[in-house]
Amino acid sequence: MPPKKQVQQEKVLLGRPGNNLKSGIVGLANVGKSTLFQAITKCHLGNPANFPYATIEPEESRVIVPDERFDWLCQHYKPKSEVPAHLTIYDIAGLTRGASTGAGLGNAFLSHIRAVDAIFQVVRCFDDAEIIHVEGDVDPVRDLDIISEELRIKDIEFAEKAHEALVKQTRRGGQSLEMKKLKEEQATVEKILEHLKAGRDVRKADWNPKEVELINTLFLLTAKPVVYLVNLSEKDYIRKKNKHLPKIAEWVKEHAPGDPIIPISICLEERLTQFETEEAAAEELKNLGVTSALPKSITTMRKALGLNSFFTTGTDEVRQWTIRVNTKAPQAAGVIHGDFEKTFIQAIVYNFNALKEIGDEASLKSQGKIMTKGKDYVVEDGDILLIKAGAAKA
């Protein structure tokens, strides 16, 4: 007998579904968060004050996602309108030890983290007598431990509340399908609690699709992807050395394996925003022999969020659209217009790399590189799509 065909389970991503995902800048007080926010968004909140809680309400801004493919397409088509992709970023107030029990801005701070989908964690590695450290001295590993522990303690609290509610329901007993589902959910929450109490983050475990669906309803802080931004002095950033870097790398390897670490000098990034033109700022970077860490920070975060891009092109408009990885063609069409998902017929597809290599659509067509795809096609990063849809019902 031929072997049974294995049905592949569709992977469910941790986090909110959708494409409009947000990142929050998180860290202890006075590590450079608000200054980073100003530099990354090119918007000024006034001088960030040199004391904890200078940022009370999270400030929000959208930043353009740097992408050489989009730039190339704009040069190629010279469209009347250019619409790049964006990433939404929040500046969140500084955390302090004991935030999980309400210290400092405590619960307000943690609720702001709960509202974002991923975390830029700023870790201070620079000495500056004028900028006080909330813990008294610069010790990034201690700071990483504090934040990690505060988020985990809060998640244990969230999970224990969910567990309490489920136990009340499962106590009734019975064999109904609803009861079976509740018992499964209770078992998942118990597994989450065991994982957290062992000192591990939720995102660092293997969960099956059903478990992920439940985790996503709990909005757990340690389930969110993290990109570590190691804030160096300008001098250390230029010479690519700092005594704390190896210890940070060791900490991340042990506690958050695989999470990206990006060295950055936030004071340099902020200084670059003072130049009158981008060309002048680029010239300064060239003279220093370094590159800005901001583009890499934005693209790394986008990848951590599980986001991809597809493009629509033409002389009227070149636009970069944002989708989650593993998005099928009808759902991608729905990002352009809600009706397109319902009335989707097919997508004409070719990839950016093929266009760049071959040069124009006519040559792509003659070489069989333009494909017609149906409802099951999974859109790849860098695809260029032309959607064919029926008329929407009135």
Side-chain angles (χ1 to χ4, degrees):
M1 280 178 71
K4 272 189 179 177
K5 195 174 178 186
Q6 293 249 316
V7 179
Q8 207 174 11
Q9 272 196 314
E10 211 164 291
K11 189 171 166 59
V12 181
L13 298 172
L14 277 171
R16 278 192 315 134
N19 318 307
N20 300 316
L21 304 182
K22 309 164 189 172
S23 308
I25 301 174
V26 170
L28 294 183
N30 295 344
V31 296
K33 299 181 311 302
S34 294
T35 310
L36 169 67
F37 181 81
Q38 291 181 13
I40 207 166
T41 61
K42 303 288 187 291
C43 69
H44 298 275
L45 313 172
N47 292 324
N50 176 25
F51 53 86
Y53 326 127
T55 311
I56 306 296
E57 289 301 315
E59 298 284 347
E60 176 188 355
S61 189
R62 292 201 314 165
V63 300
I64 290 173
V65 175
D67 195 318
E68 289 175 354
R69 300 172 302 180
F70 177 76
D71 298 339
W72 187 92
L73 288 167
C74 290
Q75 286 167 3
H76 182 74
Y77 287 98
K78 298 181 174 51
K80 294 171 194 159
S81 169
E82 300 175 2
V83 187
H86 290 88
L87 182 69
T88 302
I89 295 182
Y90 282 79
D91 177 30
I92 296 173
L95 178 144
T96 51
R97 195 194 290 273
S100 56
T101 55
L105 290 172
N107 292 324
F109 162 85
L110 292 162
S111 70
H112 291 152
I113 299 185
R114 219 175 174 199
V116 299
D117 302 287
I119 295 168
F120 277 120
Q121 189 166 320
V122 181
V123 187
R124 176 172 169 175
C125 284
F126 65 89
D127 290 303
D128 187 332
E130 289 183 18
I131 301 175
I132 55 172
H133 191 293
V134 76
E135 287 288 320
D137 62 340
V138 174
D139 181 348
V141 169
R142 177 206 55 217
D143 296 355
L144 286 163
D145 281 333
I146 290 171
I147 290 187
S148 179
E149 191 180 340
E150 293 299 331
L151 300 187
R152 214 166 38 247
I153 290 169
K154 203 66 191 173
D155 274 357
I156 290 170
E157 191 187 304
F158 293 143
E160 282 177 341
K161 277 184 186 165
H163 186 255
E164 207 177 296
L166 285 162
V167 168
K168 275 183 188 171
Q169 293 176 286
T170 55
R171 269 200 201 115
R172 300 196 314 260
Q175 299 298 316
S176 68
L177 284 173
E178 187 199 352
M179 185 55 65
K180 186 187 171 201
K181 182 172 178 281
L182 288 169
K183 283 179 178 172
E184 282 174 1
E185 288 181 1
Q186 185 180 322
T188 299
V189 174
E190 283 164 5
K191 191 173 161 185
I192 292 165
L193 279 166
E194 189 185 328
H195 188 77
L196 287 164
K197 285 175 180 177
R200 297 194 300 270
D201 291 344
V202 169
R203 70 184 184 284
K204 295 301 173 187
D206 287 323
W207 306 101
N208 67 39
K210 263 191 178 177
E211 290 169 335
V212 171
E213 281 173 12
L214 176 69
I215 290 166
N216 287 347
T217 66
L218 299 174
F219 302 105
L220 297 174
L221 307 176
T222 67
K224 300 175 190 298
V226 177
V227 174
Y228 293 94
L229 298 180
V230 180
N231 188 11
L232 308 173
S233 67
E234 185 171 328
K235 181 184 170 186
D236 283 358
Y237 184 73
I238 292 165
R239 67 192 187 110
K240 297 181 174 63
K241 275 187 182 176
N242 177 281
K243 64 183 178 185
H244 299 295
L245 280 170
K247 294 175 197 166
I248 292 169
E250 198 56 44
W251 187 95
V252 171
K253 189 180 175 184
E254 185 186 340
H255 296 90
D259 284 356
I261 305 170
I262 301 176
I264 184 170
S265 172
I266 294 172
C267 65
L268 169 63
E269 302 293 352
E270 197 237 355
R271 193 164 69 75
L272 292 170
T273 63
Q274 314 297 320
F275 284 88
E276 285 189 11
T277 64
E278 284 184 22
E279 290 75 21
E283 187 62 31
E284 175 68 0
L285 285 169
K286 191 178 169 187
N287 293 337
L288 295 172
V290 293
T291 54
S292 166
L294 295 183
K296 186 180 180 183
S297 303
I298 296 164
T299 54
T300 303
M301 175 52 80
R302 207 162 178 263
K303 192 177 175 186
L305 281 164
L307 298 174
N308 274 349
S309 291
F310 73 90
F311 301 94
T312 50
T313 58
T315 51
D316 279 340
E317 180 182 84
V318 168
R319 185 185 286 245
Q320 183 170 2
W321 302 88
T322 299
I323 51 172
R324 293 296 287 270
V325 295
N326 303 322
T327 297
K328 290 185 176 175
Q331 287 71 49
V335 174
I336 299 173
H337 195 293
D339 288 342
F340 289 175
E341 182 174 351
K342 299 173 205 154
T343 61
F344 178 87
I345 298 169
Q346 61 187 27
I348 312 300
V349 183
Y350 52 97
N351 198 271
F352 167 81
N353 292 334
L355 176 65
K356 189 179 178 188
E357 186 189 331
I358 291 164
D360 60 80
E361 283 94 337
S363 305
L364 281 173
K365 198 169 185 180
S366 66
Q367 293 184 34
K369 301 274 186 185
I370 296 182
M371 305 162 288
T372 301
K373 296 289 183 181
K375 292 182 177 180
D376 290 330
Y377 177 69
V378 175
V379 179
E380 291 182 16
D381 189 42
D383 274 352
I384 297 168
L385 300 184
L386 172 64
I387 303 295
K388 295 200 170 178
K393 287 177 185 171

